[in-house]
Amino acid sequence: MMYFARWKQLAILGVCLLGVLISVPNLLPRDSLPSWARQISLGLDLRGGSYLLLEVDTSAMVRERLEALVDSVRRGAAAANPRILYTGLAANPAERRVTVRASDPARANDLARILREAAIGVDVRAGTQQPDIEVTTAPDGTVTATLTEAALRAKATGAVEQSIEIVRRRVDETGVAEALVARQGQNRILVQLPGVEDPARIKDLLGRTARMTFHLVDEAANLQATTPPPGTMFLPGERGEERYAVRRRVEVDGANLSDARAAQDSRNGEWVVNFTFDSVGTRRFAEVTRQNVGRPFAIVLDEKVITAPVIREPITGGRGQISGQFTARTATDLAVLLRAGALPAPLTVVEERTVGPELGADAIRAGILSLAAGTAFVFLYMGLAYGFFGWVANIALFANIIIMIGVLSVIGATLTLPGIAGIVLTLGTALDANILINERIREEVKLGRSPINALEAGYSKASGTILDSNLTNLIAMACLYGFGSGPVKGFAVTVAIGTVVQMWTATVVSRLIISWWFRARRPKELPVVEKPGVGLMGRLGRPLFRLVPDVTKIRFMKGARIGLLASGILSTASVIGAFYPGLEKGIDFKGGIVMEVRTPGPADLAQLRSTVGGLNLGDVGLQEFGQADTVLIRLPAQGEEQATQAAVARVRSSLEQVAPGTRILRVEAVGNRVSEELFIGGLIALALSFGAMLLYIWFRFEWQFAIACVATLLLDTTKVVGVMVVTGIEFNLTTVAAILTIIGFNANDKVVVFDRMRENLRKFKQMPLRDLVDLSINETLNRSLGTSMTLLLSALPLALFGGDALSGFAWLMVAGIIIGTSSSTFIAAPIVLFTGAKSLRKQEPAPPRPAGAAAS
């Protein structure tokens, strides 16, 4: 195992060199890079910008299709010879159907034929189409047309895909650089806008359907009537003051526009929008204007009449003009919308998060400081605690970081603040494998093995444990990625990549370095044991301290029942506390609005509270946030998503009036539906991680170990929840990420102890189980405490320097590490002892009787 063929050495060095080459572009300006180079993109929380989650309202599309069917029946019945009389023609969007009753039941088939002719073919499979409606007739002459499920699915899929393309075109027209538009889930679109502090204009552009149609005006209709005549609809004017009676029939569709530009009218200087039709639109526009000279012709945009000029003469050139008291901005925006095309269905902003560049710069400084401090602490600990082998582990860890950055660059990952936290935590977990190897080598040396045999045995015996312990962490990250959202997914990706890479660097790169050293030096003994009386350089090459002595005989199982009882009491109290007084849910899980603002001088909280409270948006919470000029504003969810977005706009404008110069550092607005989905997703991620670990450990170990692991992880999790209740740390997606990371680490720790128990069960077949459990814990004590120490040294800088965004996450990690380390000894081990008393040890020998005792 310590021999490497030359090609293997070259391959390992090649991978490391490739990692360096791929990582270097991250240090260079983007403009100076060649086309093949890739960089890690900074997330919006680091460079500032806006995150919008849009939902496609497919119900509007269903209503529009049903109304088209109603219009087809009305026109088809009127054109029939003889004319078809009918009653009860109506669309029912809730049931996705249109019903009509023929006055003469004998004519029902004629109405059914009209509806079937109005059907549209939809693709159900490759090359296979079927009508989008099912038409049925009843004996009483009632005809029903129902939209099929296949049609609904096809229309929804097509609407989302078309909406994504139109949203992308609209965003590109605004000039936002490096914007991201992507599908998320079944009917949602994710939009990331780097550098956009106030996305109000973008939201307005994206939220408008921008469907422009041309209709004839029904001059005979009574505008004072409550309901319009058949085939006509009442529409408001753009300013809402006028009312128009417009024919439902679309004479010309805006989809036939080929261009639209804002310009000033040469006659009066007013801003207008000039438009041009394509060949189909030009021909249709010419026909309509030729046949209806002298009649008003309404231009309708999103069910509002922009203008309704009278047709003076046929317009055959395919050009027109829209006027309507535009400003330069509104005319330009309308032209942008018309050029980009109409959305097939309305879009609603269901989630918004905005971070100002000032806060992003603070986050970058906090992340870099945390990463530097964590790296320094962990490197020093490994070098001082394990000497030469610790410094080799540090080299492997450095290679791990470089390769991880390279992989993140290749896949085009986006680095967020939680992602930086993932890198910092990877520093601690990555060294766990090296600690396992070093402790194994030390044990083999203590047993009297030769240096080469000790190295071989150390790496081979530790490899299985390393695989088992890291796979549990990958399971937790997979669950987090599957059900997390936004930056939390970035955290899961970063930790998962770091875990995979560190397994390779710890077992391959460090082994290659040690093999080079061994061949060059041919040492008679390995520098893994303290040796007093040597010089300074010799001492630096050996361990300078041990957290606990090598040989301990602590009788941990004497406190087994006390440990389980205390754990049960604490976990019960934590569960009760989670319901009363309850967890402090963050905006992710309860919805609402959070705004972080910075005033020009010290904030007047009373004035700000009075101003925002006067908006009647519900209970307003204001608090000073870190500095005297920084304020955190909390508002409850506003019901509908549209109301939430309107509330954000009102708060922005009111703050500007009461404190001119106020800067919005951060905005988070989450609607009720999204918050409920995120909460359920977080719980599913936790449940799946427990279930997956149970199955994996059951597969790899005996069932007693699986039960002990999952039961202990549940107890650990409840205690972490108790810490959140006591400290007031918010329960949000970031803390779910912390809990899942804790679960992964704690499972890792327990697997290491279980692996030693399994090994000792084979080795000491007659040893009583209680003694064997104590022995296994004592043998792995230095490893458990050593890994906990590296994790603490990497998590503490996050807590101290990571800023408000990560402080709750980091302190929860610190608490979870302490809870998990103690639970491996005082909860997991006792459960194995009590559940395996008969099955793991079929029959333990009775303790020997004192000499001379009489037999009873």
Side-chain angles (χ1 to χ4, degrees):
M1 181 173 275
M2 298 307 297
Y3 170 75
F4 287 85
R6 185 173 297 276
W7 70 269
K8 287 185 179 179
Q9 298 181 42
L10 293 175
I12 295 168
L13 292 175
V15 171
C16 295
L17 180 61
L18 183 62
V20 172
L21 293 176
I22 296 174
S23 302
V24 164
N26 290 287
L27 304 176
L28 303 175
R30 188 180 293 270
D31 297 338
S32 63
L33 295 176
S35 58
W36 57 265
R38 296 288 183 270
Q39 283 185 319
I40 298 175
S41 301
L42 293 180
L44 298 182
D45 55 351
L46 295 179
R47 61 173 168 172
S50 296
Y51 163 104
L52 302 174
L53 188 62
L54 310 173
E55 187 170 74
V56 181
D57 181 10
T58 54
S59 61
M61 186 177 57
V62 171
R63 287 195 303 272
E64 182 178 339
R65 177 64 181 133
L66 294 179
E67 287 173 1
L69 290 174
V70 168
D71 190 54
S72 296
V73 171
R74 186 176 289 117
R75 286 187 286 108
N81 188 15
R83 183 174 181 175
I84 305 173
L85 301 179
Y86 60 84
T87 59
L89 176 60
N92 187 339
E95 298 181 359
R96 309 190 308 274
R97 65 179 56 178
V98 170
T99 55
V100 60
R101 182 177 180 181
S103 300
D104 179 4
R107 304 296 304 275
N109 288 332
D110 294 331
L111 288 176
R113 177 182 50 79
I114 293 172
L115 283 169
R116 290 191 181 98
E117 289 175 353
I120 299 173
V122 295
D123 291 318
V124 292
R125 286 184 302 274
T128 305
Q129 284 196 337
Q130 69 178 33
D132 66 337
I133 56 174
E134 291 179 352
V135 181
T136 59
T137 58
D140 64 349
T142 299
V143 181
T144 304
T146 305
L147 286 173
T148 63
E149 289 293 336
L152 286 174
R153 287 194 300 270
K155 286 179 181 295
T157 300
V160 174
E161 291 174 353
Q162 186 180 351
S163 297
I164 289 173
E165 184 57 36
I166 292 170
V167 166
R168 184 177 288 112
R169 288 204 295 259
R170 291 185 184 181
V171 171
D172 290 344
E173 289 276 1
T174 65
V176 177
E178 299 181 34
L180 171 67
V181 179
R183 183 171 186 165
Q184 182 165 309
Q186 291 290 327
N187 61 339
R188 288 180 180 166
I189 302 171
L190 170 67
V191 180
Q192 291 187 357
L193 307 166
V196 177
E197 296 182 57
D198 182 4
R201 181 189 175 212
I202 304 290
K203 287 192 295 183
D204 182 57
L205 287 175
L206 299 182
R208 296 174 66 180
T209 307
R211 187 185 177 195
M212 190 170 75
T213 51
F214 296 79
H215 304 252
L216 290 171
V217 175
D218 186 353
E219 299 175 271
N222 179 12
L223 293 175
Q224 307 304 319
T226 55
T227 57
T232 300
M233 53 185 175
F234 289 148
L235 294 179
E238 189 178 24
R239 293 187 296 275
E241 300 170 357
E242 305 129 312
R243 194 184 195 194
Y244 296 86
V246 177
R247 294 285 185 185
R248 287 186 178 275
R249 178 182 173 85
V250 176
E251 301 294 342
V252 186
D253 198 317
N256 296 122
L257 289 176
S258 62
D259 193 19
R261 299 287 170 182
Q264 284 183 291
D265 193 320
S266 59
R267 295 168 296 182
N268 51 29
E270 291 183 354
W271 281 95
V272 297
V273 176
N274 296 318
F275 61 85
T276 306
F277 283 110
D278 60 16
S279 58
V280 175
T282 298
R283 185 171 61 255
R284 180 61 188 154
F285 198 61
E287 291 175 1
V288 174
T289 55
R290 186 181 299 111
Q291 297 169 5
N292 295 280
V293 173
R295 296 186 61 184
F297 198 34
I299 302 175
V300 179
L301 181 70
D302 291 344
E303 298 186 354
K304 288 185 179 180
V305 177
I306 299 178
T307 182
V310 175
I311 302 173
R312 303 296 180 190
E313 58 184 358
I315 303 173
T316 58
R319 298 178 181 273
Q321 187 181 88
I322 304 172
S323 59
Q325 297 184 345
F326 292 118
T327 64
R329 178 71 169 271
T330 56
T332 301
D333 286 351
L334 178 57
V336 166
L337 292 172
L338 295 180
R339 283 198 303 273
L343 290 168
L347 295 178
T348 303
V349 179
V350 295
E351 185 179 354
E352 174 192 349
R353 300 178 193 268
T354 301
V355 177
E358 187 176 347
L359 198 63
D362 292 342
I364 291 176
R365 284 193 296 271
I368 292 175
L369 183 59
S370 302
L371 184 58
T375 302
F377 290 162
V378 169
F379 273 41
L380 280 174
Y381 172 78
M382 286 299 295
L384 298 178
Y386 291 96
F388 170 75
F389 282 75
W391 296 113
V392 170
N394 287 338
I395 296 173
L397 177 59
F398 182 73
N400 173 32
I401 295 174
I402 296 297
I403 295 173
M404 180 170 61
I405 292 174
V407 173
L408 291 173
S409 301
V410 168
I411 65 175
T414 298
L415 185 63
T416 61
L417 196 56
I420 292 179
I423 294 175
V424 175
L425 290 175
T426 300
L427 298 176
T429 56
L431 289 171
D432 175 57
N434 292 103
I435 291 174
L436 279 169
I437 293 167
N438 292 342
E439 290 293 338
R440 274 292 189 178
I441 293 173
R442 185 183 176 97
E443 288 180 23
E444 300 301 324
V445 169
K446 291 267 188 180
L447 292 173
R449 289 183 180 269
S450 65
I452 186 63
N453 288 335
L455 291 173
E456 292 275 4
Y459 275 97
S460 61
K461 289 185 177 181
S463 59
T465 309
I466 292 170
L467 179 63
D468 285 334
S469 59
N470 282 286
L471 278 177
T472 57
N473 199 30
L474 288 175
I475 289 171
M477 290 305 104
C479 294
L480 181 58
Y481 182 84
F483 295 93
S485 174
V488 175
K489 282 181 177 284
F491 171 83
V493 169
T494 303
V495 173
I497 291 174
T499 300
V500 173
V501 173
Q502 65 95 0
M503 284 194 287
W504 183 77
T505 55
T507 57
V508 177
V509 175
S510 68
R511 186 158 52 92
L512 177 61
I513 296 171
I514 290 174
S515 72
W516 286 343
W517 167 81
F518 187 83
R519 282 194 298 170
R521 300 290 298 272
R522 296 291 179 179
K524 294 182 179 180
E525 62 177 9
L526 298 177
V528 294
V529 181
E530 303 84 350
K531 190 172 184 180
V534 298
L536 177 61
M537 294 305 296
R539 292 178 62 189
L540 288 177
R542 292 178 176 272
L544 294 181
F545 67 89
R546 299 284 286 170
L547 292 176
V548 294
D550 281 338
V551 179
T552 56
K553 296 182 179 180
I554 304 172
R555 307 288 290 180
F556 290 105
M557 290 304 97
K558 281 190 174 181
R561 286 185 171 82
I562 296 175
L564 288 173
L565 179 62
S567 174
I569 293 172
L570 288 174
S571 292
T572 302
S574 298
V575 171
I576 293 172
F579 291 97
Y580 183 82
L583 287 166
E584 181 63 32
K585 285 186 180 179
I587 186 174
D588 294 328
F589 292 155
K590 71 177 179 182
I593 303 168
V594 172
M595 302 179 71
E596 186 178 342
V597 302
R598 184 164 291 167
T599 55
D604 186 342
L605 291 180
Q607 185 183 28
L608 292 176
R609 184 176 287 108
S610 174
T611 301
V612 179
L615 300 176
N616 298 320
L617 298 174
D619 294 333
V620 179
L622 275 85
Q623 68 183 81
E624 190 175 288
F625 197 61
Q627 303 174 25
D629 62 349
T630 306
V631 178
L632 199 67
I633 303 173
R634 296 177 183 273
L635 295 168
Q638 302 297 307
E640 293 296 325
E641 276 70 15
Q642 294 92 332
T644 298
Q645 300 306 314
V648 172
R650 292 176 63 191
V651 173
R652 280 180 183 271
S653 60
S654 66
L655 290 175
E656 183 60 34
Q657 292 175 4
V658 72
T662 296
R663 300 191 303 279
I664 307 296
L665 301 182
R666 172 168 60 102
V667 176
E668 296 184 35
V670 180
N672 284 325
R673 272 185 300 122
V674 172
S675 62
E676 183 178 353
E677 291 169 9
L678 293 177
F679 181 67
I680 293 173
L683 293 182
I684 291 174
L686 291 172
L688 280 180
S689 64
F690 282 125
M693 287 181 192
L694 173 67
L695 293 174
Y696 178 74
I697 296 175
W698 200 324
F699 173 73
R700 290 288 291 157
F701 297 86
E702 287 79 3
W703 65 267
Q704 295 88 348
F705 294 103
I707 297 298
C709 182
V710 173
T712 307
L713 291 177
L714 281 170
L715 294 171
D716 290 350
T717 303
T718 56
K719 294 184 189 69
V720 172
V721 170
V723 171
M724 294 170 62
V725 172
V726 172
T727 60
I729 294 175
E730 280 191 355
F731 183 48
N732 52 33
L733 281 175
T734 305
T735 51
V736 168
I739 292 172
L740 281 168
T741 307
I742 292 167
I743 290 172
F745 161 73
N746 290 353
N748 177 321
D749 190 60
K750 287 154 187 59
V751 164
V752 171
V753 178
F754 291 167
D755 187 71
R756 184 57 63 94
M757 287 184 189
R758 180 174 59 179
E759 181 181 331
N760 285 336
L761 282 168
R762 298 166 183 164
K763 187 176 180 181
F764 305 106
K765 297 188 179 297
Q766 298 302 317
M767 181 180 289
L769 186 58
R770 182 180 295 270
D771 295 343
L772 186 140
V773 171
D774 279 334
L775 175 64
S776 301
I777 295 173
N778 280 288
E779 287 179 342
T780 56
L781 196 56
N782 260 304
R783 176 269 160 199
S784 296
L785 295 178
T787 302
S788 299
M789 182 61 69
T790 58
L791 270 171
L792 285 173
L793 289 175
S794 59
L796 277 174
L798 286 174
L800 298 174
F801 312 121
D804 298 307
L806 287 180
S807 61
F809 170 91
W811 285 119
L812 209 59
M813 282 295 305
V814 171
I817 292 165
I818 296 171
I819 291 170
T821 304
S822 59
S823 70
S824 297
T825 301
F826 297 107
I827 303 174
I831 292 176
V832 172
L833 174 64
F834 295 135
T835 58
K838 294 182 179 180
S839 54
L840 294 178
R841 278 285 183 261
K842 297 299 183 183
Q843 184 177 358
E844 296 187 358
R849 290 175 297 183
S856 56

